[in-house]
Amino acid sequence: MSARHDTWLSQASRRLAGLEQLVCSVLIAAFGVLLIANVFARYVLNSPIFFASELAVYILIWMAFLAISISIHHDQHVRLTMLVGLLPTPAQRACYWLTELVCVAMLAVILWYAIGWLRSPSVGYDIAITLDWPKWHFYLIVPIFCATSIFHLIARLSDRSRTVFTLVSDED
């Protein structure tokens, strides 16, 4: 779809994906600096950075969730298309819509439970051992991922429905 025909929803989705890409870039740079600093501290100074491994794990988790959301924006997430490809075009479209709507529903349920989980007292008192920080900061990626992915899916479905209905009305 060309940029001049984009809806505000698809433009916002594109800007959100750009922000997610920027955060991923910052995180990967931080990950690299953290690991290099830890190797230097461990083997040159004989004093490793004690929190480096734990922080590196959280950085990787955040990057993974953000990368999945970006792939959803670009419609590059994993699909099994072998059987769907054998169906006629209208059935393929129906399968596409069905799977996208199932994804939205699943993400909405996960978002609902993630918010409830984050609000629970057990998460509020959970502390990252070597960092001595509350873990809920790190756990925020789950509802963030769900919300951004739902937004990307709704924006894409909105664009697809506009395209499909435009094609149908042009054929009339």
mmCIF file of all heavy atoms in Angstrom, residues 56-77:
data_model
loop_
_atom_site.group_PDB
_atom_site.id
_atom_site.type_symbol
_atom_site.label_atom_id
_atom_site.label_comp_id
_atom_site.label_asym_id
_atom_site.label_seq_id
_atom_site.Cartn_x
_atom_site.Cartn_y
_atom_site.Cartn_z
ATOM 1 N N ALA A 56 21.995 -9.135 31.193
ATOM 2 C CA ALA A 56 22.060 -9.582 29.796
ATOM 3 C C ALA A 56 20.854 -10.448 29.435
ATOM 4 O O ALA A 56 20.301 -10.329 28.334
ATOM 5 C CB ALA A 56 23.361 -10.346 29.545
ATOM 6 N N VAL A 57 20.427 -11.291 30.349
ATOM 7 C CA VAL A 57 19.249 -12.132 30.105
ATOM 8 C C VAL A 57 18.007 -11.270 29.923
ATOM 9 O O VAL A 57 17.213 -11.474 28.997
ATOM 10 C CB VAL A 57 19.048 -13.149 31.256
ATOM 11 C CG1 VAL A 57 17.687 -13.809 31.188
ATOM 12 C CG2 VAL A 57 20.152 -14.204 31.228
ATOM 13 N N TYR A 58 17.829 -10.275 30.788
ATOM 14 C CA TYR A 58 16.658 -9.395 30.665
ATOM 15 C C TYR A 58 16.698 -8.580 29.372
ATOM 16 O O TYR A 58 15.663 -8.366 28.740
ATOM 17 C CB TYR A 58 16.537 -8.471 31.879
ATOM 18 C CG TYR A 58 16.190 -9.202 33.150
ATOM 19 C CD1 TYR A 58 16.953 -9.044 34.297
ATOM 20 C CD2 TYR A 58 15.099 -10.057 33.200
ATOM 21 C CE1 TYR A 58 16.632 -9.717 35.460
ATOM 22 C CE2 TYR A 58 14.773 -10.735 34.357
ATOM 23 C CZ TYR A 58 15.545 -10.561 35.486
ATOM 24 O OH TYR A 58 15.219 -11.241 36.631
ATOM 25 N N ILE A 59 17.881 -8.143 28.978
ATOM 26 C CA ILE A 59 18.012 -7.407 27.716
ATOM 27 C C ILE A 59 17.607 -8.298 26.545
ATOM 28 O O ILE A 59 16.875 -7.874 25.647
ATOM 29 C CB ILE A 59 19.457 -6.873 27.536
ATOM 30 C CG1 ILE A 59 19.719 -5.730 28.516
ATOM 31 C CG2 ILE A 59 19.698 -6.412 26.108
ATOM 32 C CD1 ILE A 59 21.170 -5.257 28.550
ATOM 33 N N LEU A 60 18.065 -9.542 26.542
ATOM 34 C CA LEU A 60 17.708 -10.474 25.462
ATOM 35 C C LEU A 60 16.211 -10.757 25.428
ATOM 36 O O LEU A 60 15.618 -10.862 24.350
ATOM 37 C CB LEU A 60 18.496 -11.775 25.601
ATOM 38 C CG LEU A 60 19.966 -11.704 25.227
ATOM 39 C CD1 LEU A 60 20.654 -13.038 25.519
ATOM 40 C CD2 LEU A 60 20.139 -11.336 23.763
ATOM 41 N N ILE A 61 15.596 -10.877 26.582
ATOM 42 C CA ILE A 61 14.149 -11.125 26.637
ATOM 43 C C ILE A 61 13.401 -9.943 26.039
ATOM 44 O O ILE A 61 12.493 -10.116 25.218
ATOM 45 C CB ILE A 61 13.698 -11.415 28.083
ATOM 46 C CG1 ILE A 61 14.249 -12.766 28.547
ATOM 47 C CG2 ILE A 61 12.182 -11.371 28.209
ATOM 48 C CD1 ILE A 61 14.107 -13.025 30.031
ATOM 49 N N TRP A 62 13.769 -8.726 26.430
ATOM 50 C CA TRP A 62 13.122 -7.536 25.873
ATOM 51 C C TRP A 62 13.323 -7.458 24.362
ATOM 52 O O TRP A 62 12.385 -7.164 23.613
ATOM 53 C CB TRP A 62 13.673 -6.272 26.555
ATOM 54 C CG TRP A 62 12.881 -5.890 27.760
ATOM 55 C CD1 TRP A 62 12.831 -6.544 28.957
ATOM 56 C CD2 TRP A 62 12.008 -4.774 27.880
ATOM 57 N NE1 TRP A 62 11.981 -5.898 29.821
ATOM 58 C CE2 TRP A 62 11.465 -4.799 29.188
ATOM 59 C CE3 TRP A 62 11.638 -3.748 27.026
ATOM 60 C CZ2 TRP A 62 10.576 -3.848 29.640
ATOM 61 C CZ3 TRP A 62 10.750 -2.782 27.482
ATOM 62 C CH2 TRP A 62 10.223 -2.850 28.775
ATOM 63 N N MET A 63 14.540 -7.739 23.900
ATOM 64 C CA MET A 63 14.804 -7.689 22.456
ATOM 65 C C MET A 63 13.973 -8.726 21.713
ATOM 66 O O MET A 63 13.447 -8.437 20.634
ATOM 67 C CB MET A 63 16.300 -7.919 22.172
ATOM 68 C CG MET A 63 17.144 -6.723 22.477
ATOM 69 S SD MET A 63 18.904 -6.843 22.070
ATOM 70 C CE MET A 63 19.229 -8.514 21.722
ATOM 71 N N ALA A 64 13.825 -9.894 22.269
ATOM 72 C CA ALA A 64 13.050 -10.947 21.604
ATOM 73 C C ALA A 64 11.586 -10.540 21.468
ATOM 74 O O ALA A 64 10.997 -10.663 20.386
ATOM 75 C CB ALA A 64 13.168 -12.256 22.381
ATOM 76 N N PHE A 65 10.995 -10.051 22.534
ATOM 77 C CA PHE A 65 9.594 -9.634 22.470
ATOM 78 C C PHE A 65 9.395 -8.472 21.501
ATOM 79 O O PHE A 65 8.430 -8.451 20.736
ATOM 80 C CB PHE A 65 9.063 -9.274 23.860
ATOM 81 C CG PHE A 65 8.596 -10.457 24.663
ATOM 82 C CD1 PHE A 65 9.375 -10.981 25.667
ATOM 83 C CD2 PHE A 65 7.359 -11.033 24.408
ATOM 84 C CE1 PHE A 65 8.944 -12.066 26.414
ATOM 85 C CE2 PHE A 65 6.918 -12.127 25.147
ATOM 86 C CZ PHE A 65 7.712 -12.636 26.148
ATOM 87 N N LEU A 66 10.302 -7.500 21.528
ATOM 88 C CA LEU A 66 10.186 -6.367 20.607
ATOM 89 C C LEU A 66 10.360 -6.815 19.156
ATOM 90 O O LEU A 66 9.657 -6.343 18.258
ATOM 91 C CB LEU A 66 11.216 -5.281 20.957
ATOM 92 C CG LEU A 66 10.942 -4.518 22.249
ATOM 93 C CD1 LEU A 66 12.129 -3.628 22.605
ATOM 94 C CD2 LEU A 66 9.668 -3.702 22.147
ATOM 95 N N ALA A 67 11.287 -7.738 18.923
ATOM 96 C CA ALA A 67 11.500 -8.241 17.559
ATOM 97 C C ALA A 67 10.277 -8.995 17.043
ATOM 98 O O ALA A 67 9.927 -8.885 15.863
ATOM 99 C CB ALA A 67 12.736 -9.143 17.521
ATOM 100 N N ILE A 68 9.609 -9.722 17.903
ATOM 101 C CA ILE A 68 8.386 -10.422 17.489
ATOM 102 C C ILE A 68 7.306 -9.413 17.119
ATOM 103 O O ILE A 68 6.611 -9.565 16.108
ATOM 104 C CB ILE A 68 7.893 -11.381 18.593
ATOM 105 C CG1 ILE A 68 8.892 -12.508 18.820
ATOM 106 C CG2 ILE A 68 6.524 -11.959 18.234
ATOM 107 C CD1 ILE A 68 8.649 -13.311 20.085
ATOM 108 N N SER A 69 7.178 -8.359 17.914
ATOM 109 C CA SER A 69 6.187 -7.322 17.597
ATOM 110 C C SER A 69 6.505 -6.651 16.263
ATOM 111 O O SER A 69 5.608 -6.382 15.463
ATOM 112 C CB SER A 69 6.142 -6.285 18.727
ATOM 113 O OG SER A 69 5.174 -5.300 18.453
ATOM 114 N N ILE A 70 7.779 -6.404 16.008
ATOM 115 C CA ILE A 70 8.196 -5.808 14.724
ATOM 116 C C ILE A 70 7.864 -6.757 13.579
ATOM 117 O O ILE A 70 7.374 -6.332 12.527
ATOM 118 C CB ILE A 70 9.700 -5.464 14.748
ATOM 119 C CG1 ILE A 70 9.979 -4.343 15.743
ATOM 120 C CG2 ILE A 70 10.191 -5.072 13.359
ATOM 121 C CD1 ILE A 70 11.449 -4.160 16.065
ATOM 122 N N SER A 71 8.103 -8.042 13.772
ATOM 123 C CA SER A 71 7.798 -9.006 12.707
ATOM 124 C C SER A 71 6.298 -9.089 12.453
ATOM 125 O O SER A 71 5.863 -9.283 11.324
ATOM 126 C CB SER A 71 8.381 -10.386 13.025
ATOM 127 O OG SER A 71 7.668 -11.007 14.065
ATOM 128 N N ILE A 72 5.502 -8.920 13.497
ATOM 129 C CA ILE A 72 4.052 -8.887 13.311
ATOM 130 C C ILE A 72 3.662 -7.663 12.498
ATOM 131 O O ILE A 72 2.825 -7.737 11.603
ATOM 132 C CB ILE A 72 3.322 -8.940 14.673
ATOM 133 C CG1 ILE A 72 3.450 -10.335 15.273
ATOM 134 C CG2 ILE A 72 1.858 -8.546 14.531
ATOM 135 C CD1 ILE A 72 2.936 -10.465 16.690
ATOM 136 N N HIS A 73 4.298 -6.523 12.778
ATOM 137 C CA HIS A 73 4.019 -5.311 11.997
ATOM 138 C C HIS A 73 4.310 -5.533 10.514
ATOM 139 O O HIS A 73 3.542 -5.129 9.655
ATOM 140 C CB HIS A 73 4.855 -4.136 12.503
ATOM 141 C CG HIS A 73 4.888 -2.987 11.555
ATOM 142 N ND1 HIS A 73 3.810 -2.141 11.375
ATOM 143 C CD2 HIS A 73 5.849 -2.567 10.703
ATOM 144 C CE1 HIS A 73 4.123 -1.239 10.461
ATOM 145 N NE2 HIS A 73 5.348 -1.472 10.042
ATOM 146 N N HIS A 74 5.424 -6.181 10.230
ATOM 147 C CA HIS A 74 5.832 -6.413 8.839
ATOM 148 C C HIS A 74 5.166 -7.645 8.221
ATOM 149 O O HIS A 74 5.499 -8.017 7.096
ATOM 150 C CB HIS A 74 7.352 -6.540 8.749
ATOM 151 C CG HIS A 74 8.075 -5.256 9.020
ATOM 152 N ND1 HIS A 74 7.983 -4.160 8.206
ATOM 153 C CD2 HIS A 74 8.887 -4.896 10.037
ATOM 154 C CE1 HIS A 74 8.713 -3.176 8.691
ATOM 155 N NE2 HIS A 74 9.265 -3.601 9.810
ATOM 156 N N ASP A 75 4.262 -8.273 8.948
ATOM 157 C CA ASP A 75 3.562 -9.475 8.486
ATOM 158 C C ASP A 75 4.553 -10.576 8.120
ATOM 159 O O ASP A 75 4.401 -11.268 7.123
ATOM 160 C CB ASP A 75 2.642 -9.154 7.301
ATOM 161 C CG ASP A 75 1.550 -10.193 7.107
ATOM 162 O OD1 ASP A 75 1.353 -11.022 8.008
ATOM 163 O OD2 ASP A 75 0.906 -10.189 6.042
ATOM 164 N N GLN A 76 5.558 -10.731 8.944
ATOM 165 C CA GLN A 76 6.595 -11.726 8.706
ATOM 166 C C GLN A 76 6.655 -12.773 9.809
ATOM 167 O O GLN A 76 7.633 -13.484 9.927
ATOM 168 C CB GLN A 76 7.965 -11.042 8.583
ATOM 169 C CG GLN A 76 8.075 -10.136 7.396
ATOM 170 C CD GLN A 76 9.395 -9.410 7.366
ATOM 171 O OE1 GLN A 76 10.048 -9.222 8.385
ATOM 172 N NE2 GLN A 76 9.793 -8.981 6.180
ATOM 173 N N HIS A 77 5.596 -12.865 10.596
ATOM 174 C CA HIS A 77 5.598 -13.874 11.644
ATOM 175 C C HIS A 77 5.330 -15.248 11.029
ATOM 176 O O HIS A 77 4.881 -15.366 9.891
ATOM 177 C CB HIS A 77 4.607 -13.527 12.764
ATOM 178 C CG HIS A 77 3.225 -13.209 12.302
ATOM 179 N ND1 HIS A 77 2.911 -12.056 11.632
ATOM 180 C CD2 HIS A 77 2.075 -13.882 12.421
ATOM 181 C CE1 HIS A 77 1.636 -12.038 11.355
ATOM 182 N NE2 HIS A 77 1.098 -13.149 11.820
#
